[in-house]
Amino acid sequence: MQAPVIKVDSFLANIPLFKELSEEELARLALSTRPLRVARSEILFQRGDMPRGFYIVVYGQIKLSFSTARGDEKVVELIGPGQSFGEAVMFMECPHVVTTQALTDTLVLHVSKEAVLEELQRDPRFAQRMIAGLSLRLHSLMADLETFSLRSATQRVIGYLLRDSGDGIGTEGALQVTLPAAKGVIASRLNLTQEHFSRILHGLTSQGLVEVRGRLIHISDVARLRNYSD
């Protein structure tokens, strides 16, 4: 499918990584940036492919995953609009460690490795922002590891449902949450089977903590759900 025309340099200018670049620098990057339209369920790249740059999602959703030794899929991350992926392996000269698949019709920008390396040589501030972005990704992965190691399955699900509700201090009232992907994908992201994920939602429903309608989950009392202990 042919990708729709977008003003690449204007989009890049609103990405935190590129926000402080000059118009000339953005124009240079835009020349080496290619829009790619990825149909739902289409693979963007496979684990083992060599990277030639990194990607930024314009719209849609990309799933990062790999297969376990038993053949099960483990979802590592879900990438949405304005988020980037593939930066780390681009610098490591090693193959991709995940497979990426579009969960909806998606438009991504592919920023070439050569263009990034040229800007890194020209502007040390660009290198600092790139390092900061990679550090945030590492921090997120470490937080995931801590969550999977120290929290129960129910706590993981509750934490995910309340991920956008703030720190919870003084939070009360209702909240509506729409799962960004199918329940099986979310379950894998939380290191659970789909059956276990469904049982936890059923248990929270029986406690009157949530109401589940497909991907839409209604939380009647955020504070009560946050304080719930299994």
Side-chain angles (χ1 to χ4, degrees):
M1 287 180 288
Q2 186 175 1
V5 176
I6 65 168
K7 195 164 175 54
V8 173
D9 51 352
S10 297
F11 183 83
L12 293 178
N14 290 309
I15 300 298
L17 180 62
F18 303 130
K19 243 177 181 170
E20 295 179 23
L21 296 186
S22 66
E23 291 183 5
E24 293 78 12
E25 290 169 323
L26 287 168
R28 283 197 303 267
L29 277 174
L31 287 174
S32 300
T33 299
R34 187 163 52 108
L36 298 171
R37 183 151 181 198
V38 192
R40 181 180 180 181
S41 300
E42 185 180 345
I43 301 294
L44 181 59
F45 59 75
Q46 296 269 13
R47 178 174 182 167
D49 292 346
M50 290 300 296
R52 296 190 175 96
F54 74 100
Y55 300 84
I56 304 168
V57 176
V58 179
Y59 65 75
Q61 191 175 55
I62 293 288
K63 176 182 69 177
L64 276 56
S65 66
F66 62 85
S67 294
T68 67
R70 296 189 306 173
D72 300 325
E73 181 185 65
K74 173 66 181 85
V75 177
V76 177
E77 199 167 358
L78 300 175
I79 307 292
Q83 294 180 292
S84 60
F85 58 98
E87 304 97 317
V89 290
M90 179 182 69
F91 292 113
M92 295 171 61
E93 298 288 343
C94 66
H96 286 292
V97 295
V98 295
T99 294
T100 56
Q101 182 182 33
L103 294 180
T104 63
D105 288 345
T106 300
L107 178 66
V108 300
L109 297 179
H110 178 259
V111 186
S112 78
K113 176 180 178 178
E114 291 75 16
V116 172
L117 293 178
E118 287 177 9
E119 292 306 321
L120 288 174
Q121 292 177 346
R122 282 193 181 100
D123 186 358
R125 294 171 302 171
F126 183 69
Q128 290 173 346
R129 290 193 295 277
M130 184 69 77
I131 291 171
L134 293 174
S135 298
L136 284 173
R137 184 67 55 82
L138 177 61
H139 178 77
S140 176
L141 291 173
M142 292 302 294
D144 281 350
L145 180 60
E146 180 183 12
T147 295
F148 298 153
S149 302
L150 302 179
R151 293 187 182 181
S152 70
T154 300
Q155 288 172 335
R156 274 179 261 159
V157 172
I158 291 174
Y160 185 82
L161 295 178
L162 299 179
R163 66 195 184 283
D164 295 324
S165 64
D167 59 14
I169 299 175
T171 303
E172 295 180 355
L175 178 68
Q176 202 100 289
V177 175
T178 301
L179 297 179
K183 291 175 183 176
V185 173
I186 302 298
S188 179
R189 177 72 182 84
L190 297 175
N191 211 30
L192 302 170
T193 64
Q194 183 171 351
E195 293 76 13
H196 196 178
F197 182 64
S198 295
R199 285 200 302 272
I200 290 171
L201 288 180
H202 179 75
L204 295 176
T205 300
S206 66
Q207 294 286 332
L209 295 165
V210 302
E211 292 179 34
V212 181
R213 303 174 192 141
R215 289 191 185 180
L216 187 65
I217 297 179
H218 177 75
I219 302 167
S220 58
D221 189 331
V222 169
R224 184 175 168 226
L225 179 62
R226 193 183 301 279
N227 295 324
Y228 175 75
S229 173
D230 58 338

